[in-house]
Amino acid sequence: MAEYATGIGTSTLDSISLLGQDLAGDLIGQVSFGELAYRLATKRQPTAGQLRVFEAVLVSLADHGFTPTAIAARMTYYSAPESLQGAIAAGLLGGGSRFLGVTEDTGKYLNAIAKGLGSTEGWTAEQWDDAAREAITATRSAGGKIPGLGHPVHKNGDPRTPVIMHIAEDSGVKGVHLKLFEAIGRVHPEILGNTLPLNGAGVAGAALADAGLPVDLLRGFALLARTAGLIGHIAEEREHPIGPTLYTHVDRNAVYMPPEAETGTND
Amino acid sequence: MAEYATGIGTSTLDSISLLGQDLAGDLIGQVSFGELAYRLATKRQPTAGQLRVFEAVLVSLADHGFTPTAIAARMTYYSAPESLQGAIAAGLLGGGSRFLGVTEDTGKYLNAIAKGLGSTEGWTAEQWDDAAREAITATRSAGGKIPGLGHPVHKNGDPRTPVIMHIAEDSGVKGVHLKLFEAIGRVHPEILGNTLPLNGAGVAGAALADAGLPVDLLRGFALLARTAGLIGHIAEEREHPIGPTLYTHVDRNAVYMPPEAETGTND
Amino acid sequence: MAEYATGIGTSTLDSISLLGQDLAGDLIGQVSFGELAYRLATKRQPTAGQLRVFEAVLVSLADHGFTPTAIAARMTYYSAPESLQGAIAAGLLGGGSRFLGVTEDTGKYLNAIAKGLGSTEGWTAEQWDDAAREAITATRSAGGKIPGLGHPVHKNGDPRTPVIMHIAEDSGVKGVHLKLFEAIGRVHPEILGNTLPLNGAGVAGAALADAGLPVDLLRGFALLARTAGLIGHIAEEREHPIGPTLYTHVDRNAVYMPPEAETGTND
Amino acid sequence: MAEYATGIGTSTLDSISLLGQDLAGDLIGQVSFGELAYRLATKRQPTAGQLRVFEAVLVSLADHGFTPTAIAARMTYYSAPESLQGAIAAGLLGGGSRFLGVTEDTGKYLNAIAKGLGSTEGWTAEQWDDAAREAITATRSAGGKIPGLGHPVHKNGDPRTPVIMHIAEDSGVKGVHLKLFEAIGRVHPEILGNTLPLNGAGVAGAALADAGLPVDLLRGFALLARTAGLIGHIAEEREHPIGPTLYTHVDRNAVYMPPEAETGTND
């Protein structure tokens, strides 16, 4: 007989259980939405410091203005305003490699390196720098890219990075991922030959990993944060739509270049 | 020249603005994720009471166990595990009329009635009851259904309902929507002939409306809450998958009933 | 014990059945993709005429240039190029009321009227005109809109309309839906006071209904047709992307209008 | 000034152009939907043989019974029946690596090998076998997997494979991809130590590549074919739903295993 195990939720005539607690008695009004999201993903209760970092990172990732994903959500809402879920889903579907993936990529990258370091207890900045140098060099030799470095706008430094670093430190959450990321920030110029900022998406990934979130799910938290941002975009689209203007702009500036007549061949 | 107005976010070389504030200096680490979500949707800062109700409602809506939407997300993750955004989007796409729509339907229903009531300041319970009786009667005459009434499992009362009512009252947020919903709970048996519980999705809609969220976007908050739940389901699916078991179950218990041979006709 | 009946497909060690036929022996290479799509939706074999109309309508609906849905698909592809299914899904999610819904709306509208007409065998154009007048008048009295009328570009007539009408007539498929739609085209000016073209999406809906497709699924065929168009857009986006240009355009022409500082209130 | 080049479609007051042809005069009723889909993806007119293979492959890929993607689409339709586009999108989102990806993976794999072979004109079966041996050996040395080999049900041979091979040969379309795939079928047992069937998804990928479709878009054609299958599943779900049975089955057989109480730690 098929069985489906879950530790998330169940209910009886009189009660609803969530994560082994009574939803009505223990959770509603007792924990923040951020805390519940943390616990749903990890099945652990965060420390106060972990939760503070988690909420801070979600805030940092919620919106980035008119990104391609926000545009996709708005165009979908314009086409099918009766289906809010479709517009939000369309916006999330752009949460892939190019724009939203850096958070998870950075977390995974740092995590893979960290696993090879053994105990780092009591390490000095020099030791972190050595580890970072070795990692960057190995990545570059293999033709790889260091995730979390560089930003198209914030070329002198991403304003989110020091704030998240500070909150993590202040909360006692700063661990191997953030320390390694910081070290990458210090030593990469001598290896790469140019100085790039540690970007906000990257520091978000490092901070989430240090806050105890599973590195294979980091993209999920970027998507959760972005859902709040997309609701904001759709709320705004209802009041002051850009959809018609943007559609008209593309339509008017379309240049038709039809394919040349060509008979089919097998090549 | 096309212009695209937004009040959400923008950035310069050195700073990121969100909702007119400095993201790094004023928001990250200063506001909870729930508060930011509220502000993105409304462009207003919630009172402490509104925020408390908002976070409580999000917690109440985050998960409902193995709903059809959770199953859809898990089956999608099983098919395409490399695309976490696709699994979450698939889960959200079920956020429509039948399972997730009650929150918005209830909020809109109550709001439409409330708009016709004029000033309700100082109303007694009897006055609310009269208004509820009139609304229910009118809805039934028109062949309509009262949203937010009844629950397939919690037939004696939904455990979320009194908790959310209490939090709203305690926070000074209880307003026309919740008062009207309560009155519907009191008077519907005499009109409908049977007693139904005020369900948790319905009270969520009433509470969000009283907390100042736009009634036309209430489905969006159910989707935001559910995103956290879906991340939990996918985290669990990674560790203890039900996908293969469920797929095998359906496959083994499929009964093939092919269409009878039939020639096409124009009818 | 749960059972799941289906008449679509099943397989054994040696064979695959689809719609009661042998996929390898009877279908692959024997029927066009359009025919299979028709049979999957209806579980009936189309007549030659029905199939001709069905394929013609799919061709007519496949693409409409840079629609909002095509833009959404391209922006999603730009953000997450590794997930082709996400880009196509995002494009389909705009297939709702405003842009893609006319086909289904028109088919349903005509079908509802047709059901009330009784036998129309041998009807003259005058009789169809009378039926159309009555329907239009009733719709307008109820404050409704006649679907399938009008086009933002083809103000003098949609070039698809006469072609599809002709194919349906020539194929012996023209039935109550198209005849009624034609009559609406003839008589609406005297009732509405202005002359609007019968648009291509509307005639598509009427023709699909006459070709035996279920009116409640007409949106599905518009989506199927559009899937082919979206693959074309993504193929083009790979070679000559518009994503970066469009993103830059919106970004450069964004005008930041932050919300005014406001303290939260309970109103 | 931003410009958006496209070769797909455009329209004027009187006409609609698609791929440089007149939609109404040259395409509707003149070309099958399959042919239009081919041309949208490639901007080339297929030969009669290429089109025959393309339509045959689409037919072969349209449905595979109660796959996880069909289940996801049905559960989504059950939750949100008002949004057909959402149910189809949810079904397509499972079109990723595990179930639908084989077609593209096989096409790309064979294409990468083919590019390294130089001219294969007049090659004997022995020469193809040598090339296949070399490729399989290299893939295995690198720890890789040969796509398109093996099937969970059709262990003695996939019934689609010989039919598609025959159609391609008969149509003059059989080229390097199918020849190499055939050779892999012949020689892999001597290298891998066991005999696996060439599966239908794999031969579909090889045949599409030989028919001139771009290998980087092969997943798109599997998605197009599957859209027709998903419409069939939703049509069936409307008449004979499995959604409620499946939901009840999972709900009744859920086993609640809540997480153990655990205090948060930084590890």
Side-chain angles (χ1 to χ4, degrees):
Chain A
M1 190 59 184
E3 286 193 348
Y4 306 98
T6 183
I8 299 177
T10 192
S11 56
T12 66
L13 177 64
D14 296 319
S15 73
I16 301 173
S17 294
L18 193 61
L19 300 169
Q21 289 196 277
D22 181 54
L23 175 63
D26 299 332
L27 296 170
I28 296 176
Q30 313 288 318
V31 304
S32 71
F33 176 58
E35 178 174 339
L36 185 67
Y38 186 106
R39 291 172 62 176
L40 280 163
T42 63
K43 294 195 178 162
R44 272 188 301 106
Q45 191 165 333
T47 63
Q50 289 174 328
L51 179 57
R52 187 177 160 212
V53 170
F54 183 60
E55 299 241 21
V57 170
L58 290 180
V59 167
S60 79
L61 292 172
D63 190 72
H64 289 80
F66 283 132
T67 55
T69 63
I71 295 170
R74 285 175 179 249
M75 294 311 277
T76 303
Y77 184 76
Y78 175 42
S79 288
E82 75 284 4
S83 172
L84 185 60
Q85 71 270 24
I88 292 176
L92 293 181
L93 287 171
S97 59
R98 203 167 289 166
F99 281 85
L100 218 67
V102 176
T103 296
E104 183 169 311
D105 291 347
T106 306
K108 279 181 173 168
Y109 177 78
L110 298 170
N111 192 253
I113 298 166
K115 280 183 175 163
L117 294 182
S119 169
T120 59
E121 182 136 5
W123 269 26
T124 60
E126 286 68 34
Q127 286 174 292
W128 286 110
D129 286 358
D130 286 344
R133 269 186 210 100
E134 196 177 326
I136 295 172
T137 306
T139 302
R140 296 290 290 192
S141 301
K145 219 173 138 279
I146 318 297
L149 274 187
H151 194 281
V153 174
H154 307 301
K155 293 178 195 298
N156 299 338
D158 189 316
R160 293 165 292 192
T161 301
V163 176
I164 291 174
M165 285 282 185
H166 172 76
I167 290 169
E169 180 135 35
D170 189 57
S171 308
V173 167
K174 192 167 166 183
V176 289
H177 302 89
L178 283 167
K179 287 175 185 167
L180 193 54
F181 196 52
E182 262 187 336
I184 287 173
R186 288 191 297 267
V187 305
H188 77 270
E190 62 190 73
I191 305 171
L192 305 185
N194 61 338
T195 302
L196 296 166
L198 297 176
N199 63 44
V203 77
L208 289 172
D210 273 347
L213 282 317
V215 289
D216 289 329
L217 280 181
L218 295 188
R219 185 181 297 188
F221 306 110
L223 294 167
L224 174 61
R226 195 53 59 91
T227 303
L230 290 170
I231 292 171
H233 278 278
I234 291 168
E236 197 170 84
E237 190 71 17
R238 292 175 61 86
E239 303 289 327
H240 305 288
I242 69 157
T245 306
L246 185 56
Y247 173 37
T248 302
H249 162 76
V250 175
D251 197 55
R252 296 233 171 117
N253 294 285
V255 177
Y256 193 51
M257 302 178 61
E260 298 189 20
E262 193 184 328
T263 48
T265 72
N266 275 336
D267 297 320
Chain B
M1 191 58 184
E3 286 195 345
Y4 305 98
T6 183
I8 299 177
T10 192
S11 54
T12 65
L13 176 66
D14 295 320
S15 74
I16 301 174
S17 294
L18 193 61
L19 300 168
Q21 289 198 277
D22 181 55
L23 174 64
D26 300 332
L27 296 170
I28 297 177
Q30 313 288 319
V31 303
S32 71
F33 176 57
E35 178 173 340
L36 185 67
Y38 186 107
R39 292 172 62 177
L40 280 162
T42 63
K43 295 198 178 158
R44 272 189 301 107
Q45 191 165 332
T47 63
Q50 289 175 327
L51 179 58
R52 187 177 161 212
V53 170
F54 183 60
E55 299 241 22
V57 170
L58 290 180
V59 167
S60 79
L61 293 172
D63 190 72
H64 290 80
F66 282 131
T67 54
T69 62
I71 295 171
R74 285 176 179 248
M75 294 311 277
T76 303
Y77 184 76
Y78 175 41
S79 288
E82 75 283 4
S83 171
L84 183 61
Q85 71 271 25
I88 291 176
L92 293 181
L93 287 172
S97 61
R98 203 168 287 167
F99 280 87
L100 218 66
V102 177
T103 297
E104 183 169 310
D105 291 347
T106 306
K108 279 182 174 167
Y109 177 77
L110 299 171
N111 192 253
I113 298 165
K115 280 183 175 162
L117 295 181
S119 169
T120 59
E121 182 135 5
W123 269 25
T124 61
E126 285 68 33
Q127 286 174 291
W128 285 109
D129 286 358
D130 286 344
R133 270 187 209 98
E134 195 178 325
I136 296 173
T137 305
T139 303
R140 296 289 290 193
S141 301
K145 219 174 139 279
I146 317 298
L149 275 187
H151 195 281
V153 173
H154 308 301
K155 293 179 195 298
N156 300 337
D158 189 316
R160 292 164 292 192
T161 302
V163 176
I164 291 173
M165 284 284 184
H166 172 76
I167 291 169
E169 181 136 36
D170 189 57
S171 307
V173 167
K174 192 167 165 183
V176 289
H177 301 89
L178 283 166
K179 286 175 186 169
L180 192 55
F181 196 51
E182 261 186 337
I184 286 174
R186 288 191 298 267
V187 305
H188 77 272
E190 62 190 73
I191 304 171
L192 305 185
N194 62 338
T195 302
L196 296 166
L198 297 176
N199 63 44
V203 76
L208 289 172
D210 273 345
L213 283 315
V215 290
D216 290 328
L217 279 181
L218 296 188
R219 186 181 295 188
F221 306 110
L223 293 167
L224 174 61
R226 195 53 58 91
T227 303
L230 289 170
I231 293 171
H233 278 278
I234 291 168
E236 196 170 86
E237 191 70 17
R238 292 175 59 88
E239 301 290 327
H240 304 289
I242 69 157
T245 305
L246 185 56
Y247 173 37
T248 302
H249 162 76
V250 175
D251 196 56
R252 296 232 172 118
N253 294 285
V255 177
Y256 193 51
M257 301 179 60
E260 297 189 23
E262 192 184 328
T263 49
T265 73
N266 275 338
D267 298 321
Chain C
M1 190 57 183
E3 286 194 348
Y4 307 97
T6 184
I8 299 176
T10 192
S11 56
T12 66
L13 178 64
D14 295 321
S15 74
I16 301 173
S17 294
L18 193 62
L19 301 169
Q21 290 197 277
D22 182 54
L23 175 64
D26 300 331
L27 296 170
I28 297 175
Q30 314 287 318
V31 303
S32 71
F33 176 57
E35 178 173 338
L36 185 67
Y38 186 106
R39 291 172 63 176
L40 281 163
T42 63
K43 296 198 178 160
R44 274 188 300 107
Q45 190 165 333
T47 62
Q50 288 174 329
L51 179 57
R52 188 177 159 211
V53 169
F54 183 60
E55 299 241 21
V57 170
L58 290 180
V59 166
S60 79
L61 293 172
D63 190 73
H64 290 81
F66 283 131
T67 55
T69 63
I71 295 170
R74 285 176 178 247
M75 294 311 276
T76 304
Y77 184 76
Y78 174 43
S79 287
E82 75 283 5
S83 173
L84 184 60
Q85 70 270 25
I88 291 177
L92 294 181
L93 287 171
S97 60
R98 202 167 289 167
F99 280 87
L100 218 67
V102 177
T103 296
E104 183 169 310
D105 292 347
T106 306
K108 279 181 173 167
Y109 178 77
L110 298 171
N111 194 251
I113 298 166
K115 280 183 176 163
L117 294 182
S119 169
T120 58
E121 182 136 4
W123 269 25
T124 60
E126 285 69 33
Q127 286 175 293
W128 286 109
D129 286 358
D130 286 344
R133 269 186 209 99
E134 197 179 322
I136 296 172
T137 305
T139 302
R140 297 288 290 192
S141 301
K145 218 175 138 280
I146 318 297
L149 275 187
H151 195 281
V153 173
H154 307 301
K155 293 178 195 297
N156 299 338
D158 189 315
R160 292 164 292 191
T161 301
V163 176
I164 291 173
M165 284 283 184
H166 172 76
I167 291 169
E169 181 135 37
D170 188 57
S171 307
V173 167
K174 192 167 165 182
V176 290
H177 301 89
L178 283 167
K179 286 174 186 169
L180 193 54
F181 196 52
E182 260 185 337
I184 287 173
R186 286 191 299 266
V187 305
H188 78 271
E190 62 189 75
I191 305 171
L192 305 185
N194 62 338
T195 302
L196 296 166
L198 298 176
N199 63 42
V203 75
L208 289 172
D210 274 346
L213 282 316
V215 290
D216 289 329
L217 280 180
L218 295 188
R219 185 181 296 188
F221 306 109
L223 294 167
L224 174 61
R226 197 52 59 90
T227 303
L230 290 169
I231 292 171
H233 278 279
I234 291 168
E236 197 169 86
E237 191 70 17
R238 293 175 59 88
E239 302 289 328
H240 304 289
I242 69 158
T245 306
L246 184 56
Y247 173 38
T248 302
H249 162 75
V250 175
D251 197 54
R252 296 232 172 117
N253 294 285
V255 177
Y256 193 51
M257 301 179 62
E260 297 188 24
E262 192 184 330
T263 48
T265 73
N266 275 337
D267 298 319
Chain D
M1 189 60 183
E3 286 193 348
Y4 306 98
T6 182
I8 299 178
T10 193
S11 56
T12 65
L13 177 65
D14 296 319
S15 74
I16 301 173
S17 294
L18 193 62
L19 300 168
Q21 289 197 278
D22 181 54
L23 175 63
D26 299 333
L27 295 170
I28 296 176
Q30 314 287 319
V31 304
S32 71
F33 176 57
E35 178 173 339
L36 185 67
Y38 186 105
R39 290 171 63 177
L40 280 163
T42 63
K43 294 197 179 161
R44 272 188 301 107
Q45 190 165 333
T47 62
Q50 289 174 328
L51 179 57
R52 188 177 159 210
V53 169
F54 183 60
E55 298 241 22
V57 169
L58 290 180
V59 167
S60 80
L61 293 173
D63 190 73
H64 290 81
F66 282 132
T67 53
T69 62
I71 295 171
R74 285 175 179 249
M75 294 312 276
T76 303
Y77 184 75
Y78 175 42
S79 289
E82 76 283 4
S83 171
L84 184 61
Q85 70 271 24
I88 291 177
L92 294 181
L93 287 171
S97 61
R98 203 168 288 166
F99 280 87
L100 217 69
V102 177
T103 296
E104 183 168 310
D105 291 347
T106 306
K108 279 182 175 167
Y109 177 77
L110 298 171
N111 193 252
I113 298 166
K115 280 183 177 163
L117 294 182
S119 169
T120 59
E121 181 136 3
W123 269 28
T124 61
E126 285 68 34
Q127 286 175 291
W128 285 109
D129 287 358
D130 286 344
R133 269 187 208 98
E134 196 178 322
I136 296 172
T137 304
T139 303
R140 297 289 290 193
S141 301
K145 222 176 136 275
I146 317 298
L149 273 187
H151 195 281
V153 174
H154 307 301
K155 293 179 195 297
N156 299 338
D158 189 315
R160 293 164 291 192
T161 301
V163 175
I164 291 174
M165 284 284 184
H166 172 75
I167 290 168
E169 179 136 36
D170 188 56
S171 307
V173 167
K174 192 167 164 182
V176 290
H177 301 90
L178 283 167
K179 286 175 185 168
L180 193 55
F181 196 51
E182 261 186 338
I184 287 173
R186 287 191 300 266
V187 306
H188 78 270
E190 63 189 73
I191 304 171
L192 306 185
N194 62 338
T195 303
L196 295 167
L198 298 177
N199 62 43
V203 75
L208 289 172
D210 273 346
L213 282 316
V215 290
D216 289 329
L217 280 181
L218 296 188
R219 185 182 296 190
F221 306 110
L223 293 168
L224 174 62
R226 195 52 59 90
T227 302
L230 290 170
I231 292 172
H233 277 279
I234 291 168
E236 197 169 87
E237 191 70 17
R238 292 175 60 86
E239 302 289 328
H240 304 288
I242 70 158
T245 306
L246 185 56
Y247 172 38
T248 303
H249 163 75
V250 175
D251 196 56
R252 295 232 171 117
N253 295 285
V255 178
Y256 193 51
M257 302 178 61
E260 298 188 20
E262 192 183 328
T263 48
T265 72
N266 275 337
D267 299 319

